[in-house]
Structure formats: structure tokens, C-alpha cells
Amino acid sequence: MAAAIVISLALLTGYSYWPRSPVSLVQGENMAMSGLYASWEKGDVMVLVRHGERCDRSSNDCLGASDGITRYGSSVSTDVGRSFSELGLAQTDVITSPLTRTAQTAQAMFGHPVEAQDWLYNCDETMLNQVMAHKSLNRNLIVVTHSGCIGQLESLHGYPHSATSEYDSALFISLDSHGKPVIRGILNPEDWKRLAQQKNH
């Protein structure tokens, strides 16, 4: 009986300390500790970005078709894209899910149509392997996709209780010294300005 109680307490304690979601990169020293700036310079980063605000789930005006994003969502996506540009896109590739909401998000972020690939919508447990397969050597990869795909990847790689990603949020993954992908953390749209302030201090 006593042993069962100890095991139960251990499980409860372990669950309470289990990270629910990847860390926020704007909190504390998380960005500095992640090494992402150096990894970005080397072209060793993959970023999964959720599409902008869905028109069919908002009272805001649609950008176009009802299966796309809102005008507000488009403006947020443009701001996020500007932040990616400030990181530097010279050695960065971008691909997107073919659905209207992701295609519109990618165009708002980067100012031009982006190559669409079906696997970014019909994602499964091979999502991370697929991302790795589409990443070129010494080139970063930005993938515009869906919350379900991002959540599935997080769940299978250390975050089974992860919260649903926000619109236009970015999940950063970089390669370690052995070339293994490691989830480094998340930036939500409102975090980029604060991150820039941290970098300039």
C-alpha cells in the first residue's frame, strides 16, 4: 500500500513538472541559451509557423475567400514576416500547405506566392522526418502549416500535453552538434518586438 502511494505521488509530481509546451523563447534567457541566432546564421534551423487568423472562425473581415484568413490575420502575418526578414532570409527556403489560409499567410509574410506541398496539410507521425527531408544543407527552412500538424509533432517529440499553437506562432527546431533535430521553443506574434528589444540591449 505504502509503495503504491509513493509511486502515485511520484507520477503526480512528475506530471506537474512535465513541460506542457515548448518554452517561450522570449522568456528570460531562453533565446540566448537556445543558440538559435548562431544556428540561423549556419542554416541549421527549421520553423513551423501556424497560419493566420481563420476567416471562418472570426467576425473580422475576410481577406478574400471564406476558407482563407482575415484582413487582421494578414496584417499580423506581414509583421511576422518582417521579423523573419530581420533575422535574414538569404539562406532560407519557405514552403506551405496548399490550403487557402496557409497560402495567404505565406504570401502575406514573404510578399510573394510560396511553393505548396500536400504533406503539410495531410501530416502524420512522420512530420518531423518530412521536414528534415525537405531541409537543404546549410539552409534554414520555414514551413507554413496547421495547428494540428504542429501539435502532433510536439506530442511525438517530448510534449504530449502541448497547448494548441496560436495563429502565426512559430515553433523553432534546430540541429544539435550531431545533426539531430531539437525543439528549442516558441515565439508568438507579439513576442517578436520584445525579442528585438532584448537583442539590442
Side-chain angles (χ1 to χ4, degrees), residues 37-167:
Y37 287 128
S39 295
W40 189 267
E41 289 291 329
K42 293 189 292 184
D44 284 344
V45 179
M46 295 156 285
V47 191
L48 275 66
V49 180
R50 187 187 177 189
H51 58 76
E53 181 182 64
R54 288 179 60 152
C55 179
D56 59 356
R57 295 184 181 176
S58 172
S59 60
N60 290 325
D61 292 338
C62 296
L63 179 64
S66 61
D67 62 341
I69 61 175
T70 63
R71 292 185 181 278
Y72 170 75
S74 178
S75 69
V76 174
S77 297
T78 298
D79 288 342
V80 171
R82 188 176 298 115
S83 295
F84 274 118
S85 294
E86 290 170 359
L87 276 180
L89 295 174
Q91 53 184 22
T92 300
D93 299 314
V94 184
I95 53 178
T96 182
S97 155
L99 297 196
T100 303
R101 57 184 177 270
T102 43
Q104 287 180 339
T105 298
Q107 178 148 0
M109 283 185 176
F110 304 106
H112 57 79
V114 170
E115 177 188 352
Q117 300 200 8
D118 288 344
W119 64 272
L120 289 172
Y121 171 64
N122 297 313
C123 52
D124 55 25
E125 66 277 1
T126 67
M127 180 74 175
L128 182 55
N129 290 337
Q130 291 267 30
V131 172
M132 288 284 290
H134 285 81
K135 182 194 176 303
S136 298
L137 183 65
N138 300 326
R139 292 189 65 81
N140 302 308
L141 177 64
I142 297 174
V143 173
V144 183
T145 184
H146 305 269
S147 59
C149 297
I150 296 170
Q152 184 178 60
L153 186 151
E154 290 173 333
S155 179
L156 291 171
H157 297 280
Y159 300 92
H161 309 292
S162 184
T164 301
S165 56
E166 294 185 15
Y167 290 129

Side-chain angles (χ1 to χ4, degrees), residues 6-20:
V6 170
I7 291 171
S8 296
L9 287 173
L11 289 172
L12 286 171
T13 303
Y15 181 84
S16 66
Y17 285 101
W18 188 276
R20 185 181 181 197

